[in-house]
Amino acid sequence: GILWNINTDMLQVSTDVPNRPFTKRGILSVINSLYDPLGLFSPIILTGKLIQRRVIPSKKMETPDLDLDWDDPLPTELLDDWNKFKSSLSSISELEVPRCFKPKNFGKCVQQTLHVFADASKDSTGLVIYIKSTNEEGKVHVALVSASSKVAPRSAISISRMELCAAMDASAAAQQVIMALNMEPEDVILYSDSSVVLGYLRNRERRFSLYVTRRIQLTLKIFPSTSWKY
C-alpha cells in the first residue's frame, strides 16, 4: 500500500508479497494484495496482470495446456516470468513521490493546468496525469498526480481501437482528479500519439462502427475535441 513519510513529506510504497503457490489462485492472491490507488507503480502491476491473463484466458481462448483447476500447478515455462515479476515488487519500496504538488517556498499559485497523456499497445492501455503550477514570479513546477494501466480489452482488435480506449480512460481519469482535488484548473490538455484517434474525435461527417462511436461520445462528453493535442 501507500505510506506517507511525515518527516520527508514523501509518498512511499510498501510491499509485503504473500508467499503463494504457483497456481491460478496463487497468482490472483498476489496481484490482488497490491494496493495502489494513485497508480504510482501501475506499470509493474501490469506485468503481473499480463501473466494472469496468460494463465486465465477467456473461455473462447482456453487451450488444453491451461485448462487447469484453480489449485493445479501451472506450466513451468511461465514460472521464470512470474518469479521475475515478484522480484521486481521488492524494488518498489525504493520509490518516493512528493506528496505536495508544489515545492517548499514556491509561493502562491496563479495558474494550474492538468496535462493528461494517453497511450496504448497491443497488450495494454495506459495514462498519466501531471499538474503544472505557475507562481507569481512566473516559475513553473510540474508534479505527478496519478497514473493507470489496464490489460487490453479483448474487444479492441486493432491498435487504433486500443488508443481510443486509452483516450476515453484518460478523459474519465482527468475528470475524477478534478473532482477529487476540488479544483478549477486553468486548462486541461490531453495528449494522444495516435492521429487516427484525433481524427475520430474531430470527425463531423463520417460514421463509424458502434464500438468506435460509443467511445468517441463518452470521450467528448467530458472534454471537447479542442482539448486534445498530438
Side-chain angles (χ1 to χ4, degrees), residues 176-211:
Q176 289 173 357
V177 163
I178 293 172
M179 293 173 63
L181 297 180
N182 192 25
M183 65 178 294
E184 288 291 339
E186 186 81 14
D187 198 3
V188 179
I189 305 173
L190 303 103
Y191 304 86
S192 172
D193 65 353
S194 171
S195 56
V196 175
V197 167
L198 296 179
Y200 283 153
L201 299 178
R202 293 166 183 165
N203 172 73
R204 292 294 180 272
E205 299 175 357
R206 184 177 173 184
R207 292 189 177 184
F208 301 107
S209 67
L210 182 60
Y211 181 98

PDB file of all heavy atoms in Angstrom, residues 176-211:
ATOM      1  N   GLN A 176     -12.082  12.750 -12.829  1.00  0.00           N
ATOM      2  CA  GLN A 176     -12.057  12.264 -11.450  1.00  0.00           C
ATOM      3  C   GLN A 176     -11.044  13.038 -10.613  1.00  0.00           C
ATOM      4  O   GLN A 176     -11.294  13.341  -9.442  1.00  0.00           O
ATOM      5  CB  GLN A 176     -11.730  10.769 -11.444  1.00  0.00           C
ATOM      6  CG  GLN A 176     -12.848   9.901 -11.979  1.00  0.00           C
ATOM      7  CD  GLN A 176     -12.431   8.448 -12.127  1.00  0.00           C
ATOM      8  OE1 GLN A 176     -11.278   8.089 -11.887  1.00  0.00           O
ATOM      9  NE2 GLN A 176     -13.362   7.599 -12.534  1.00  0.00           N
ATOM     10  N   VAL A 177      -9.878  13.360 -11.216  1.00  0.00           N
ATOM     11  CA  VAL A 177      -8.856  14.120 -10.497  1.00  0.00           C
ATOM     12  C   VAL A 177      -9.380  15.507 -10.147  1.00  0.00           C
ATOM     13  O   VAL A 177      -9.201  15.985  -9.017  1.00  0.00           O
ATOM     14  CB  VAL A 177      -7.564  14.218 -11.338  1.00  0.00           C
ATOM     15  CG1 VAL A 177      -6.651  15.328 -10.806  1.00  0.00           C
ATOM     16  CG2 VAL A 177      -6.831  12.886 -11.341  1.00  0.00           C
ATOM     17  N   ILE A 178     -10.039  16.159 -11.084  1.00  0.00           N
ATOM     18  CA  ILE A 178     -10.585  17.499 -10.838  1.00  0.00           C
ATOM     19  C   ILE A 178     -11.602  17.465  -9.696  1.00  0.00           C
ATOM     20  O   ILE A 178     -11.604  18.331  -8.815  1.00  0.00           O
ATOM     21  CB  ILE A 178     -11.227  18.061 -12.124  1.00  0.00           C
ATOM     22  CG1 ILE A 178     -10.146  18.328 -13.181  1.00  0.00           C
ATOM     23  CG2 ILE A 178     -12.016  19.324 -11.840  1.00  0.00           C
ATOM     24  CD1 ILE A 178     -10.700  18.688 -14.538  1.00  0.00           C
ATOM     25  N   MET A 179     -12.440  16.443  -9.693  1.00  0.00           N
ATOM     26  CA  MET A 179     -13.445  16.317  -8.634  1.00  0.00           C
ATOM     27  C   MET A 179     -12.785  15.996  -7.290  1.00  0.00           C
ATOM     28  O   MET A 179     -13.159  16.554  -6.249  1.00  0.00           O
ATOM     29  CB  MET A 179     -14.457  15.236  -9.003  1.00  0.00           C
ATOM     30  CG  MET A 179     -15.327  15.578 -10.214  1.00  0.00           C
ATOM     31  SD  MET A 179     -16.372  14.185 -10.730  1.00  0.00           S
ATOM     32  CE  MET A 179     -17.387  13.972  -9.275  1.00  0.00           C
ATOM     33  N   ALA A 180     -11.786  15.102  -7.313  1.00  0.00           N
ATOM     34  CA  ALA A 180     -11.136  14.700  -6.065  1.00  0.00           C
ATOM     35  C   ALA A 180     -10.354  15.852  -5.440  1.00  0.00           C
ATOM     36  O   ALA A 180     -10.324  16.000  -4.210  1.00  0.00           O
ATOM     37  CB  ALA A 180     -10.206  13.514  -6.329  1.00  0.00           C
ATOM     38  N   LEU A 181      -9.718  16.667  -6.273  1.00  0.00           N
ATOM     39  CA  LEU A 181      -8.928  17.786  -5.768  1.00  0.00           C
ATOM     40  C   LEU A 181      -9.773  19.028  -5.530  1.00  0.00           C
ATOM     41  O   LEU A 181      -9.267  20.022  -5.004  1.00  0.00           O
ATOM     42  CB  LEU A 181      -7.803  18.116  -6.749  1.00  0.00           C
ATOM     43  CG  LEU A 181      -6.758  17.015  -6.983  1.00  0.00           C
ATOM     44  CD1 LEU A 181      -5.704  17.487  -7.967  1.00  0.00           C
ATOM     45  CD2 LEU A 181      -6.104  16.610  -5.667  1.00  0.00           C
ATOM     46  N   ASN A 182     -11.042  18.976  -5.957  1.00  0.00           N
ATOM     47  CA  ASN A 182     -11.942  20.123  -5.800  1.00  0.00           C
ATOM     48  C   ASN A 182     -11.310  21.397  -6.352  1.00  0.00           C
ATOM     49  O   ASN A 182     -11.228  22.425  -5.683  1.00  0.00           O
ATOM     50  CB  ASN A 182     -12.308  20.309  -4.320  1.00  0.00           C
ATOM     51  CG  ASN A 182     -13.463  21.282  -4.131  1.00  0.00           C
ATOM     52  OD1 ASN A 182     -14.283  21.470  -5.043  1.00  0.00           O
ATOM     53  ND2 ASN A 182     -13.530  21.909  -2.972  1.00  0.00           N
ATOM     54  N   MET A 183     -10.838  21.286  -7.599  1.00  0.00           N
ATOM     55  CA  MET A 183     -10.120  22.409  -8.198  1.00  0.00           C
ATOM     56  C   MET A 183     -10.749  22.817  -9.515  1.00  0.00           C
ATOM     57  O   MET A 183     -11.492  22.050 -10.134  1.00  0.00           O
ATOM     58  CB  MET A 183      -8.650  22.012  -8.456  1.00  0.00           C
ATOM     59  CG  MET A 183      -8.494  20.905  -9.504  1.00  0.00           C
ATOM     60  SD  MET A 183      -6.774  20.462  -9.879  1.00  0.00           S
ATOM     61  CE  MET A 183      -6.164  21.965 -10.637  1.00  0.00           C
ATOM     62  N   GLU A 184     -10.452  24.016  -9.927  1.00  0.00           N
ATOM     63  CA  GLU A 184     -10.868  24.502 -11.234  1.00  0.00           C
ATOM     64  C   GLU A 184      -9.596  24.861 -12.010  1.00  0.00           C
ATOM     65  O   GLU A 184      -9.114  25.987 -11.938  1.00  0.00           O
ATOM     66  CB  GLU A 184     -11.777  25.726 -11.097  1.00  0.00           C
ATOM     67  CG  GLU A 184     -13.158  25.422 -10.565  1.00  0.00           C
ATOM     68  CD  GLU A 184     -14.011  24.638 -11.554  1.00  0.00           C
ATOM     69  OE1 GLU A 184     -13.700  24.682 -12.766  1.00  0.00           O
ATOM     70  OE2 GLU A 184     -14.967  23.996 -11.119  1.00  0.00           O
ATOM     71  N   PRO A 185      -9.014  23.901 -12.718  1.00  0.00           N
ATOM     72  CA  PRO A 185      -7.766  24.192 -13.431  1.00  0.00           C
ATOM     73  C   PRO A 185      -7.977  25.232 -14.528  1.00  0.00           C
ATOM     74  O   PRO A 185      -9.063  25.343 -15.101  1.00  0.00           O
ATOM     75  CB  PRO A 185      -7.372  22.831 -14.022  1.00  0.00           C
ATOM     76  CG  PRO A 185      -8.660  22.082 -14.129  1.00  0.00           C
ATOM     77  CD  PRO A 185      -9.487  22.531 -12.967  1.00  0.00           C
ATOM     78  N   GLU A 186      -6.930  25.981 -14.781  1.00  0.00           N
ATOM     79  CA  GLU A 186      -6.980  26.977 -15.847  1.00  0.00           C
ATOM     80  C   GLU A 186      -7.287  26.319 -17.183  1.00  0.00           C
ATOM     81  O   GLU A 186      -8.010  26.861 -18.014  1.00  0.00           O
ATOM     82  CB  GLU A 186      -5.656  27.718 -15.917  1.00  0.00           C
ATOM     83  CG  GLU A 186      -5.610  28.879 -16.896  1.00  0.00           C
ATOM     84  CD  GLU A 186      -6.238  30.132 -16.324  1.00  0.00           C
ATOM     85  OE1 GLU A 186      -6.466  30.186 -15.094  1.00  0.00           O
ATOM     86  OE2 GLU A 186      -6.511  31.059 -17.102  1.00  0.00           O
ATOM     87  N   ASP A 187      -6.734  25.124 -17.366  1.00  0.00           N
ATOM     88  CA  ASP A 187      -6.943  24.404 -18.617  1.00  0.00           C
ATOM     89  C   ASP A 187      -6.646  22.930 -18.379  1.00  0.00           C
ATOM     90  O   ASP A 187      -5.904  22.570 -17.453  1.00  0.00           O
ATOM     91  CB  ASP A 187      -6.022  24.952 -19.713  1.00  0.00           C
ATOM     92  CG  ASP A 187      -6.497  24.569 -21.117  1.00  0.00           C
ATOM     93  OD1 ASP A 187      -7.571  23.931 -21.224  1.00  0.00           O
ATOM     94  OD2 ASP A 187      -5.800  24.894 -22.083  1.00  0.00           O
ATOM     95  N   VAL A 188      -7.245  22.083 -19.193  1.00  0.00           N
ATOM     96  CA  VAL A 188      -6.953  20.648 -19.203  1.00  0.00           C
ATOM     97  C   VAL A 188      -6.549  20.283 -20.622  1.00  0.00           C
ATOM     98  O   VAL A 188      -7.332  20.462 -21.561  1.00  0.00           O
ATOM     99  CB  VAL A 188      -8.170  19.804 -18.764  1.00  0.00           C
ATOM    100  CG1 VAL A 188      -7.820  18.315 -18.820  1.00  0.00           C
ATOM    101  CG2 VAL A 188      -8.626  20.199 -17.364  1.00  0.00           C
ATOM    102  N   ILE A 189      -5.327  19.800 -20.775  1.00  0.00           N
ATOM    103  CA  ILE A 189      -4.817  19.451 -22.090  1.00  0.00           C
ATOM    104  C   ILE A 189      -4.550  17.950 -22.110  1.00  0.00           C
ATOM    105  O   ILE A 189      -3.854  17.427 -21.239  1.00  0.00           O
ATOM    106  CB  ILE A 189      -3.523  20.227 -22.424  1.00  0.00           C
ATOM    107  CG1 ILE A 189      -3.770  21.728 -22.293  1.00  0.00           C
ATOM    108  CG2 ILE A 189      -3.046  19.890 -23.835  1.00  0.00           C
ATOM    109  CD1 ILE A 189      -2.533  22.567 -22.429  1.00  0.00           C
ATOM    110  N   LEU A 190      -5.143  17.284 -23.096  1.00  0.00           N
ATOM    111  CA  LEU A 190      -4.992  15.835 -23.222  1.00  0.00           C
ATOM    112  C   LEU A 190      -4.189  15.523 -24.475  1.00  0.00           C
ATOM    113  O   LEU A 190      -4.315  16.210 -25.491  1.00  0.00           O
ATOM    114  CB  LEU A 190      -6.358  15.157 -23.267  1.00  0.00           C
ATOM    115  CG  LEU A 190      -7.270  15.445 -22.063  1.00  0.00           C
ATOM    116  CD1 LEU A 190      -8.343  16.462 -22.442  1.00  0.00           C
ATOM    117  CD2 LEU A 190      -7.925  14.176 -21.540  1.00  0.00           C
ATOM    118  N   TYR A 191      -3.374  14.482 -24.395  1.00  0.00           N
ATOM    119  CA  TYR A 191      -2.465  14.149 -25.491  1.00  0.00           C
ATOM    120  C   TYR A 191      -2.623  12.690 -25.909  1.00  0.00           C
ATOM    121  O   TYR A 191      -2.762  11.799 -25.065  1.00  0.00           O
ATOM    122  CB  TYR A 191      -1.008  14.357 -25.065  1.00  0.00           C
ATOM    123  CG  TYR A 191      -0.685  15.743 -24.565  1.00  0.00           C
ATOM    124  CD1 TYR A 191      -0.897  16.083 -23.224  1.00  0.00           C
ATOM    125  CD2 TYR A 191      -0.146  16.708 -25.402  1.00  0.00           C
ATOM    126  CE1 TYR A 191      -0.594  17.349 -22.741  1.00  0.00           C
ATOM    127  CE2 TYR A 191       0.170  17.982 -24.929  1.00  0.00           C
ATOM    128  CZ  TYR A 191      -0.053  18.293 -23.595  1.00  0.00           C
ATOM    129  OH  TYR A 191       0.248  19.532 -23.127  1.00  0.00           O
ATOM    130  N   SER A 192      -2.593  12.494 -27.234  1.00  0.00           N
ATOM    131  CA  SER A 192      -2.554  11.148 -27.797  1.00  0.00           C
ATOM    132  C   SER A 192      -1.536  11.139 -28.933  1.00  0.00           C
ATOM    133  O   SER A 192      -1.423  12.129 -29.671  1.00  0.00           O
ATOM    134  CB  SER A 192      -3.935  10.743 -28.341  1.00  0.00           C
ATOM    135  OG  SER A 192      -3.852   9.515 -29.055  1.00  0.00           O
ATOM    136  N   ASP A 193      -0.777  10.047 -29.051  1.00  0.00           N
ATOM    137  CA  ASP A 193       0.178   9.961 -30.158  1.00  0.00           C
ATOM    138  C   ASP A 193      -0.422   9.223 -31.352  1.00  0.00           C
ATOM    139  O   ASP A 193       0.298   8.774 -32.244  1.00  0.00           O
ATOM    140  CB  ASP A 193       1.485   9.288 -29.704  1.00  0.00           C
ATOM    141  CG  ASP A 193       1.286   7.836 -29.307  1.00  0.00           C
ATOM    142  OD1 ASP A 193       0.124   7.380 -29.251  1.00  0.00           O
ATOM    143  OD2 ASP A 193       2.289   7.147 -29.049  1.00  0.00           O
ATOM    144  N   SER A 194      -1.752   9.116 -31.347  1.00  0.00           N
ATOM    145  CA  SER A 194      -2.451   8.459 -32.446  1.00  0.00           C
ATOM    146  C   SER A 194      -3.223   9.499 -33.266  1.00  0.00           C
ATOM    147  O   SER A 194      -4.209  10.064 -32.795  1.00  0.00           O
ATOM    148  CB  SER A 194      -3.425   7.397 -31.912  1.00  0.00           C
ATOM    149  OG  SER A 194      -4.255   6.909 -32.942  1.00  0.00           O
ATOM    150  N   SER A 195      -2.792   9.735 -34.482  1.00  0.00           N
ATOM    151  CA  SER A 195      -3.509  10.676 -35.347  1.00  0.00           C
ATOM    152  C   SER A 195      -4.879  10.130 -35.724  1.00  0.00           C
ATOM    153  O   SER A 195      -5.799  10.895 -36.029  1.00  0.00           O
ATOM    154  CB  SER A 195      -2.677  10.960 -36.601  1.00  0.00           C
ATOM    155  OG  SER A 195      -2.366   9.763 -37.285  1.00  0.00           O
ATOM    156  N   VAL A 196      -5.011   8.809 -35.713  1.00  0.00           N
ATOM    157  CA  VAL A 196      -6.315   8.201 -36.002  1.00  0.00           C
ATOM    158  C   VAL A 196      -7.323   8.584 -34.917  1.00  0.00           C
ATOM    159  O   VAL A 196      -8.470   8.952 -35.208  1.00  0.00           O
ATOM    160  CB  VAL A 196      -6.195   6.667 -36.104  1.00  0.00           C
ATOM    161  CG1 VAL A 196      -7.576   6.032 -36.272  1.00  0.00           C
ATOM    162  CG2 VAL A 196      -5.303   6.273 -37.264  1.00  0.00           C
ATOM    163  N   VAL A 197      -6.900   8.497 -33.658  1.00  0.00           N
ATOM    164  CA  VAL A 197      -7.790   8.855 -32.549  1.00  0.00           C
ATOM    165  C   VAL A 197      -8.184  10.327 -32.630  1.00  0.00           C
ATOM    166  O   VAL A 197      -9.348  10.688 -32.454  1.00  0.00           O
ATOM    167  CB  VAL A 197      -7.110   8.560 -31.199  1.00  0.00           C
ATOM    168  CG1 VAL A 197      -7.878   9.220 -30.049  1.00  0.00           C
ATOM    169  CG2 VAL A 197      -7.043   7.068 -30.971  1.00  0.00           C
ATOM    170  N   LEU A 198      -7.221  11.200 -32.918  1.00  0.00           N
ATOM    171  CA  LEU A 198      -7.534  12.622 -33.050  1.00  0.00           C
ATOM    172  C   LEU A 198      -8.504  12.855 -34.205  1.00  0.00           C
ATOM    173  O   LEU A 198      -9.378  13.716 -34.134  1.00  0.00           O
ATOM    174  CB  LEU A 198      -6.247  13.419 -33.259  1.00  0.00           C
ATOM    175  CG  LEU A 198      -5.259  13.377 -32.087  1.00  0.00           C
ATOM    176  CD1 LEU A 198      -4.014  14.185 -32.409  1.00  0.00           C
ATOM    177  CD2 LEU A 198      -5.897  13.864 -30.798  1.00  0.00           C
ATOM    178  N   GLY A 199      -8.362  12.051 -35.271  1.00  0.00           N
ATOM    179  CA  GLY A 199      -9.315  12.130 -36.376  1.00  0.00           C
ATOM    180  C   GLY A 199     -10.704  11.688 -35.952  1.00  0.00           C
ATOM    181  O   GLY A 199     -11.707  12.306 -36.353  1.00  0.00           O
ATOM    182  N   TYR A 200     -10.769  10.625 -35.142  1.00  0.00           N
ATOM    183  CA  TYR A 200     -12.057  10.184 -34.594  1.00  0.00           C
ATOM    184  C   TYR A 200     -12.735  11.330 -33.835  1.00  0.00           C
ATOM    185  O   TYR A 200     -13.928  11.614 -34.024  1.00  0.00           O
ATOM    186  CB  TYR A 200     -11.854   9.015 -33.615  1.00  0.00           C
ATOM    187  CG  TYR A 200     -11.589   7.660 -34.240  1.00  0.00           C
ATOM    188  CD1 TYR A 200     -10.851   6.695 -33.542  1.00  0.00           C
ATOM    189  CD2 TYR A 200     -12.098   7.317 -35.484  1.00  0.00           C
ATOM    190  CE1 TYR A 200     -10.626   5.442 -34.072  1.00  0.00           C
ATOM    191  CE2 TYR A 200     -11.873   6.068 -36.025  1.00  0.00           C
ATOM    192  CZ  TYR A 200     -11.137   5.130 -35.316  1.00  0.00           C
ATOM    193  OH  TYR A 200     -10.901   3.886 -35.853  1.00  0.00           O
ATOM    194  N   LEU A 201     -11.975  11.967 -32.963  1.00  0.00           N
ATOM    195  CA  LEU A 201     -12.548  12.965 -32.052  1.00  0.00           C
ATOM    196  C   LEU A 201     -12.960  14.239 -32.778  1.00  0.00           C
ATOM    197  O   LEU A 201     -13.854  14.954 -32.321  1.00  0.00           O
ATOM    198  CB  LEU A 201     -11.555  13.297 -30.943  1.00  0.00           C
ATOM    199  CG  LEU A 201     -11.150  12.120 -30.039  1.00  0.00           C
ATOM    200  CD1 LEU A 201     -10.118  12.567 -29.009  1.00  0.00           C
ATOM    201  CD2 LEU A 201     -12.366  11.513 -29.344  1.00  0.00           C
ATOM    202  N   ARG A 202     -12.325  14.527 -33.906  1.00  0.00           N
ATOM    203  CA  ARG A 202     -12.625  15.765 -34.636  1.00  0.00           C
ATOM    204  C   ARG A 202     -13.556  15.539 -35.819  1.00  0.00           C
ATOM    205  O   ARG A 202     -13.924  16.491 -36.509  1.00  0.00           O
ATOM    206  CB  ARG A 202     -11.309  16.394 -35.112  1.00  0.00           C
ATOM    207  CG  ARG A 202     -10.450  16.879 -33.940  1.00  0.00           C
ATOM    208  CD  ARG A 202      -9.031  17.197 -34.355  1.00  0.00           C
ATOM    209  NE  ARG A 202      -8.233  17.597 -33.182  1.00  0.00           N
ATOM    210  CZ  ARG A 202      -6.910  17.653 -33.168  1.00  0.00           C
ATOM    211  NH1 ARG A 202      -6.230  17.348 -34.261  1.00  0.00           N
ATOM    212  NH2 ARG A 202      -6.267  18.010 -32.076  1.00  0.00           N
ATOM    213  N   ASN A 203     -13.924  14.315 -36.023  1.00  0.00           N
ATOM    214  CA  ASN A 203     -14.783  13.997 -37.167  1.00  0.00           C
ATOM    215  C   ASN A 203     -16.188  14.567 -36.985  1.00  0.00           C
ATOM    216  O   ASN A 203     -16.762  14.531 -35.898  1.00  0.00           O
ATOM    217  CB  ASN A 203     -14.869  12.473 -37.325  1.00  0.00           C
ATOM    218  CG  ASN A 203     -15.882  12.072 -38.372  1.00  0.00           C
ATOM    219  OD1 ASN A 203     -15.656  12.237 -39.559  1.00  0.00           O
ATOM    220  ND2 ASN A 203     -17.021  11.555 -37.927  1.00  0.00           N
ATOM    221  N   ARG A 204     -16.743  15.090 -38.058  1.00  0.00           N
ATOM    222  CA  ARG A 204     -18.109  15.621 -38.011  1.00  0.00           C
ATOM    223  C   ARG A 204     -18.984  15.028 -39.116  1.00  0.00           C
ATOM    224  O   ARG A 204     -20.171  15.319 -39.184  1.00  0.00           O
ATOM    225  CB  ARG A 204     -18.087  17.149 -38.178  1.00  0.00           C
ATOM    226  CG  ARG A 204     -17.452  17.889 -36.995  1.00  0.00           C
ATOM    227  CD  ARG A 204     -18.290  17.734 -35.740  1.00  0.00           C
ATOM    228  NE  ARG A 204     -17.705  18.442 -34.610  1.00  0.00           N
ATOM    229  CZ  ARG A 204     -16.809  17.920 -33.777  1.00  0.00           C
ATOM    230  NH1 ARG A 204     -16.395  16.666 -33.980  1.00  0.00           N
ATOM    231  NH2 ARG A 204     -16.331  18.611 -32.774  1.00  0.00           N
ATOM    232  N   GLU A 205     -18.423  14.222 -39.977  1.00  0.00           N
ATOM    233  CA  GLU A 205     -19.180  13.745 -41.124  1.00  0.00           C
ATOM    234  C   GLU A 205     -19.240  12.220 -41.206  1.00  0.00           C
ATOM    235  O   GLU A 205     -20.307  11.651 -41.374  1.00  0.00           O
ATOM    236  CB  GLU A 205     -18.566  14.300 -42.426  1.00  0.00           C
ATOM    237  CG  GLU A 205     -18.571  15.824 -42.499  1.00  0.00           C
ATOM    238  CD  GLU A 205     -17.867  16.344 -43.730  1.00  0.00           C
ATOM    239  OE1 GLU A 205     -17.329  15.520 -44.496  1.00  0.00           O
ATOM    240  OE2 GLU A 205     -17.841  17.573 -43.926  1.00  0.00           O
ATOM    241  N   ARG A 206     -18.090  11.580 -41.097  1.00  0.00           N
ATOM    242  CA  ARG A 206     -18.045  10.140 -41.329  1.00  0.00           C
ATOM    243  C   ARG A 206     -18.681   9.372 -40.177  1.00  0.00           C
ATOM    244  O   ARG A 206     -18.572   9.764 -39.016  1.00  0.00           O
ATOM    245  CB  ARG A 206     -16.591   9.694 -41.507  1.00  0.00           C
ATOM    246  CG  ARG A 206     -16.450   8.230 -41.855  1.00  0.00           C
ATOM    247  CD  ARG A 206     -15.000   7.865 -42.080  1.00  0.00           C
ATOM    248  NE  ARG A 206     -14.830   6.434 -42.253  1.00  0.00           N
ATOM    249  CZ  ARG A 206     -13.670   5.827 -42.388  1.00  0.00           C
ATOM    250  NH1 ARG A 206     -12.548   6.537 -42.382  1.00  0.00           N
ATOM    251  NH2 ARG A 206     -13.582   4.516 -42.534  1.00  0.00           N
ATOM    252  N   ARG A 207     -19.326   8.255 -40.503  1.00  0.00           N
ATOM    253  CA  ARG A 207     -19.906   7.390 -39.488  1.00  0.00           C
ATOM    254  C   ARG A 207     -18.966   6.213 -39.231  1.00  0.00           C
ATOM    255  O   ARG A 207     -18.340   5.692 -40.144  1.00  0.00           O
ATOM    256  CB  ARG A 207     -21.266   6.867 -39.942  1.00  0.00           C
ATOM    257  CG  ARG A 207     -22.322   7.953 -40.034  1.00  0.00           C
ATOM    258  CD  ARG A 207     -23.685   7.353 -40.266  1.00  0.00           C
ATOM    259  NE  ARG A 207     -24.729   8.371 -40.289  1.00  0.00           N
ATOM    260  CZ  ARG A 207     -26.011   8.105 -40.395  1.00  0.00           C
ATOM    261  NH1 ARG A 207     -26.423   6.841 -40.519  1.00  0.00           N
ATOM    262  NH2 ARG A 207     -26.901   9.081 -40.405  1.00  0.00           N
ATOM    263  N   PHE A 208     -18.912   5.807 -37.969  1.00  0.00           N
ATOM    264  CA  PHE A 208     -18.043   4.699 -37.587  1.00  0.00           C
ATOM    265  C   PHE A 208     -18.881   3.564 -37.012  1.00  0.00           C
ATOM    266  O   PHE A 208     -20.095   3.687 -36.848  1.00  0.00           O
ATOM    267  CB  PHE A 208     -17.007   5.165 -36.570  1.00  0.00           C
ATOM    268  CG  PHE A 208     -16.124   6.285 -37.074  1.00  0.00           C
ATOM    269  CD1 PHE A 208     -16.291   7.578 -36.593  1.00  0.00           C
ATOM    270  CD2 PHE A 208     -15.146   6.050 -38.020  1.00  0.00           C
ATOM    271  CE1 PHE A 208     -15.487   8.612 -37.038  1.00  0.00           C
ATOM    272  CE2 PHE A 208     -14.341   7.078 -38.485  1.00  0.00           C
ATOM    273  CZ  PHE A 208     -14.508   8.358 -37.999  1.00  0.00           C
ATOM    274  N   SER A 209     -18.189   2.474 -36.676  1.00  0.00           N
ATOM    275  CA  SER A 209     -18.889   1.348 -36.058  1.00  0.00           C
ATOM    276  C   SER A 209     -19.443   1.761 -34.702  1.00  0.00           C
ATOM    277  O   SER A 209     -19.018   2.772 -34.106  1.00  0.00           O
ATOM    278  CB  SER A 209     -17.918   0.172 -35.871  1.00  0.00           C
ATOM    279  OG  SER A 209     -16.926   0.501 -34.911  1.00  0.00           O
ATOM    280  N   LEU A 210     -20.381   0.992 -34.190  1.00  0.00           N
ATOM    281  CA  LEU A 210     -20.996   1.299 -32.902  1.00  0.00           C
ATOM    282  C   LEU A 210     -19.949   1.329 -31.795  1.00  0.00           C
ATOM    283  O   LEU A 210     -20.002   2.176 -30.902  1.00  0.00           O
ATOM    284  CB  LEU A 210     -22.080   0.260 -32.583  1.00  0.00           C
ATOM    285  CG  LEU A 210     -22.865   0.473 -31.283  1.00  0.00           C
ATOM    286  CD1 LEU A 210     -23.594   1.808 -31.324  1.00  0.00           C
ATOM    287  CD2 LEU A 210     -23.844  -0.671 -31.059  1.00  0.00           C
ATOM    288  N   TYR A 211     -18.976   0.410 -31.859  1.00  0.00           N
ATOM    289  CA  TYR A 211     -17.911   0.349 -30.851  1.00  0.00           C
ATOM    290  C   TYR A 211     -17.141   1.670 -30.808  1.00  0.00           C
ATOM    291  O   TYR A 211     -16.944   2.251 -29.739  1.00  0.00           O
ATOM    292  CB  TYR A 211     -16.957  -0.807 -31.193  1.00  0.00           C
ATOM    293  CG  TYR A 211     -15.823  -0.999 -30.218  1.00  0.00           C
ATOM    294  CD1 TYR A 211     -15.916  -1.957 -29.214  1.00  0.00           C
ATOM    295  CD2 TYR A 211     -14.656  -0.246 -30.296  1.00  0.00           C
ATOM    296  CE1 TYR A 211     -14.876  -2.136 -28.306  1.00  0.00           C
ATOM    297  CE2 TYR A 211     -13.618  -0.412 -29.402  1.00  0.00           C
ATOM    298  CZ  TYR A 211     -13.733  -1.370 -28.410  1.00  0.00           C
ATOM    299  OH  TYR A 211     -12.707  -1.542 -27.518  1.00  0.00           O
TER     300      TYR A 211
END
